[in-house]
Amino acid sequence: MYVPRTKTKKGVVMIKKTAVAVLITVLNYSIFIAASAAASSNEFRGPVSVKGKAFVDAHGKRFMVRGVAVANSKDASDDHVYDMLTDDNFSEEFEKKILPRLKELNVNTIRVYNIDPTKSHDKAMKALENAGIYLTLELASPKPGENINRITPKYTLSLYQRYIAVIDAMSKYENTLNFSLGNEVVFPGLILSEVAAKCNPSKGGDQEAAGCVDLANDAIKGDAAVLKSLARDMKAYMKSKAKTKGYREIPVGVAMQDTPSSQWKGLTTTSTVAQYYACGKSPSQRLDYVALNAYRYTNESTNVAQYMGILEDYHLDKMPVPFYLSETGGGNRPSASVERDWAIISWNYGLLGNLASPGTEEIARKYVDNLSGEIAFMLLNWKEKAGLYDLDRIAGREIPFEGMTDFGGAKKLAKQFEAVKAIDLPFPSGPQTIACPDNFEPPLLPNPASGTKISVRIDKNFKEKGIVVQSGTVIKHLENKDKVEVEVLKDKEMLLQTSAPNYFTVCKVPQNSLREGDTISDPAKEWGGNCLINDK
């Protein structure tokens, strides 16, 4: 329920005419928590957008992410293939087993890593809306051509088409909170490890070998450029569809891996890349938000100062866009048998409690001011052994907390989210823009879908099955000696290739060589050169 607010003469945020209100003073500012049942319940707050450094609901109130990651519950060998949100899977899977758990946990957001954009998600999205729950969604998929290869990144037509297909499928839902362009695409340590095996194989992939860090940095620049180019084009796409299809401009951002510093001299860190994502003179030139998969803390015995380090590591007080934690709570448990207490939750939302050390209040206040919430990792137990519930043990929706894992801490997480869900934090202050980092501003890439589309005729002579390729994307499959009309981009290079497994280039058409109605054929003798255009 939206409760109107006003300011007292002292600048303290007040709540008008609520049944009961409790004033808590923490971190040198005052927070009101509405204690009435209505104020503390999850209610849908309309579409969420970005205002400065915060998410804001339809009533102009700051929206704090309070969520859980929900990876798919089937096909454990490839966990991001099965789409539990489709109408087909609603009754037996989502409605009976997943939604009751989300309500138990007191979340207002779920993070989902992949959906099938060809299917309807009306039932699940409506059920989530009725429960006051929003969706943050990855645009990529595990299929070839539909995600970014962090070692050899390319902005291809198939990647663009996958992303807009998901946007087309999910933009109509008012509880689609935001879209994520990629999950941990920039992973400096992993990238360095992989390129080192190639640049210095004689020494077993020595990461300190000359040139290895340079190769890793080149890959990181390529990754960042692809992601920021996608942000530009997805934002432009939604804006272009606003009048014709009623699309709203849903926030677009990224979920980052957490490597703010490195033992390898000269290796680009995620702190630098985050600043690159957020830099730009206008919203169209930057991402709408930055999120971080942060595994710095699990239980109260762990040093909470590691989380306060995020403030300095990522320059949160200077960040001009919302920043939240897209995965937290796993990875560094003392052992697999130790239950997570989730004590960090209330601290991240402003209830400092017993976790603060003397003299850290000012840093803690700045950190909390500039954080827009967090997402617990994760709902269902699988390979990471970090799940709150074991799906095989969930019997039904009528038994609270049925099927909990021994180590997940579902009840404690629910208690922590219950304690903070009515907290009303002030809007963070900060700059409207920031400059791009020194020595890290890779130029944006052209939209692979841009350009004039024309129809040409493919007259295939070679015996093997073939494909027509543009911008790294297969646009047509060809049978034996096929003659077909194909729509292509006029100004892009076009390739005729054999199909899998060889993918040999039979011939190519140089860029800017195609015209409407041309007939493209392969030469009868030598392969690898230029195709014939109108038999020439």
Side-chain angles (χ1 to χ4, degrees), residues 310-386:
I310 292 175
L311 173 70
E312 182 177 350
D313 291 340
Y314 292 91
H315 312 287
L316 296 195
D317 54 337
K318 298 179 177 63
M319 185 77 67
V321 297
F323 185 100
Y324 69 94
L325 306 181
S326 43
E327 288 180 7
T328 59
N332 64 343
R333 297 191 309 279
S335 71
S337 61
V338 174
E339 183 182 26
R340 291 175 286 183
D341 64 17
W342 297 101
I344 192 66
I345 297 288
S346 57
W347 190 85
N348 276 342
Y349 291 80
L351 302 180
L352 191 56
N354 297 323
L355 297 182
S357 303
T360 63
E361 289 83 358
E362 181 64 22
I363 297 175
R365 182 190 65 79
K366 285 185 178 180
Y367 167 68
V368 171
D369 272 352
N370 290 282
L371 192 68
S372 289
E374 68 178 278
I375 293 177
F377 188 84
M378 59 184 305
L379 184 74
L380 301 172
N381 194 46
W382 57 294
K383 291 179 288 187
E384 298 290 341
K385 302 298 183 184

Side-chain angles (χ1 to χ4, degrees), residues 187-231:
F187 200 134
L190 183 60
I191 291 172
L192 179 59
S193 177
E194 291 194 31
V195 301
K198 297 179 181 179
C199 75
N200 195 33
S202 62
K203 294 186 178 181
D206 182 2
Q207 296 177 357
E208 292 186 294
C212 289
V213 168
D214 291 340
L215 285 175
N217 286 339
D218 288 343
I220 291 170
K221 285 183 179 179
D223 292 333
V226 172
L227 285 163
K228 198 165 183 178
S229 300
L230 279 163

Side-chain angles (χ1 to χ4, degrees), residues 307-522:
Y307 262 60
M308 287 191 290
I310 292 175
L311 173 70
E312 182 177 350
D313 291 340
Y314 292 91
H315 312 287
L316 296 195
D317 54 337
K318 298 179 177 63
M319 185 77 67
V321 297
F323 185 100
Y324 69 94
L325 306 181
S326 43
E327 288 180 7
T328 59
N332 64 343
R333 297 191 309 279
S335 71
S337 61
V338 174
E339 183 182 26
R340 291 175 286 183
D341 64 17
W342 297 101
I344 192 66
I345 297 288
S346 57
W347 190 85
N348 276 342
Y349 291 80
L351 302 180
L352 191 56
N354 297 323
L355 297 182
S357 303
T360 63
E361 289 83 358
E362 181 64 22
I363 297 175
R365 182 190 65 79
K366 285 185 178 180
Y367 167 68
V368 171
D369 272 352
N370 290 282
L371 192 68
S372 289
E374 68 178 278
I375 293 177
F377 188 84
M378 59 184 305
L379 184 74
L380 301 172
N381 194 46
W382 57 294
K383 291 179 288 187
E384 298 290 341
K385 302 298 183 184
L388 297 162
Y389 298 93
D390 188 334
L391 185 68
D392 293 336
R393 292 166 58 188
I394 296 176
R397 56 176 153 176
E398 69 281 353
I399 305 174
F401 297 104
E402 179 72 18
M404 287 190 304
T405 59
D406 297 330
F407 50 80
K411 287 185 179 180
K412 293 180 179 180
L413 177 63
K415 184 177 180 180
Q416 290 287 336
F417 275 154
E418 174 68 27
V420 303
K421 68 196 233 178
I423 285 179
D424 188 11
L425 289 172
F427 277 81
S429 60
Q432 294 183 344
T433 62
I434 58 170
C436 291
D438 294 337
N439 302 319
F440 192 88
E441 193 177 359
L444 299 187
L445 306 172
N447 184 337
S450 64
T452 304
K453 292 184 178 181
I454 59 173
S455 291
V456 298
R457 179 183 176 87
I458 305 296
D459 191 352
K460 173 182 171 294
N461 295 308
F462 59 92
K463 296 180 180 180
E464 296 88 344
K465 291 184 178 181
I467 52 177
V468 181
V469 179
Q470 272 195 317
S471 300
T473 299
V474 177
I475 59 176
K476 187 69 177 180
H477 289 270
L478 304 173
E479 298 300 324
N480 295 340
K481 294 191 175 182
D482 218 352
K483 296 182 179 181
V484 294
E485 296 287 330
V486 179
E487 189 176 68
V488 298
L489 293 170
K490 180 180 179 181
D491 60 342
K492 304 290 184 183
E493 181 185 57
M494 190 190 80
L495 304 177
L496 286 185
Q497 295 182 325
T498 59
S499 297
N502 296 321
Y503 295 110
F504 189 87
T505 298
V506 177
C507 64
K508 61 184 177 181
V509 178
Q511 62 182 16
N512 299 313
S513 299
L514 293 168
R515 295 177 300 176
E516 179 74 30
D518 280 345
T519 297
I520 312 300
S521 59
D522 53 285

Side-chain angles (χ1 to χ4, degrees), residues 137-318:
L137 178 63
E138 293 290 336
L139 293 174
S141 93
K143 296 179 180 179
E146 295 185 354
N147 57 75
I148 301 169
N149 184 319
R150 60 169 62 97
I151 306 302
T152 56
K154 295 180 180 179
Y155 188 7
T156 64
L157 186 60
S158 59
L159 190 64
Y160 175 87
Q161 290 173 336
R162 160 68 190 188
Y163 279 36
I164 63 170
V166 177
I167 288 175
D168 287 341
M170 305 306 289
S171 288
K172 63 181 178 179
Y173 305 116
E174 291 193 336
N175 56 330
T176 298
L177 173 65
N178 61 44
F179 293 121
S180 171
L181 299 162
N183 181 54
E184 298 189 347
V185 175
V186 174
F187 200 134
L190 183 60
I191 291 172
L192 179 59
S193 177
E194 291 194 31
V195 301
K198 297 179 181 179
C199 75
N200 195 33
S202 62
K203 294 186 178 181
D206 182 2
Q207 296 177 357
E208 292 186 294
C212 289
V213 168
D214 291 340
L215 285 175
N217 286 339
D218 288 343
I220 291 170
K221 285 183 179 179
D223 292 333
V226 172
L227 285 163
K228 198 165 183 178
S229 300
L230 279 163
R232 173 203 62 200
D233 295 339
M234 297 307 105
K235 289 157 69 115
Y237 180 77
M238 286 185 280
K239 188 173 183 178
S240 71
K241 298 294 182 179
K243 290 184 179 180
T244 58
K245 293 191 175 182
Y247 284 20
R248 59 189 176 91
E249 296 179 39
I250 297 171
V252 173
V254 68
M256 300 191 67
Q257 190 269 342
D258 186 14
T259 306
S261 61
S262 174
Q263 62 178 317
W264 310 113
K265 185 178 179 180
L267 183 64
T268 302
T269 66
T270 53
S271 175
T272 297
V273 178
Q275 301 304 304
Y276 169 71
Y277 291 150
C279 72
K281 294 182 179 180
S282 68
S284 64
Q285 297 176 336
R286 64 182 182 231
L287 276 64
D288 295 318
Y289 72 87
V290 174
L292 185 71
N293 294 348
Y295 292 100
R296 302 186 179 202
Y297 172 92
T298 299
N299 282 358
E300 190 168 352
S301 60
T302 310
N303 184 7
V304 74
Q306 295 176 18
Y307 262 60
M308 287 191 290
I310 292 175
L311 173 70
E312 182 177 350
D313 291 340
Y314 292 91
H315 312 287
L316 296 195
D317 54 337
K318 298 179 177 63

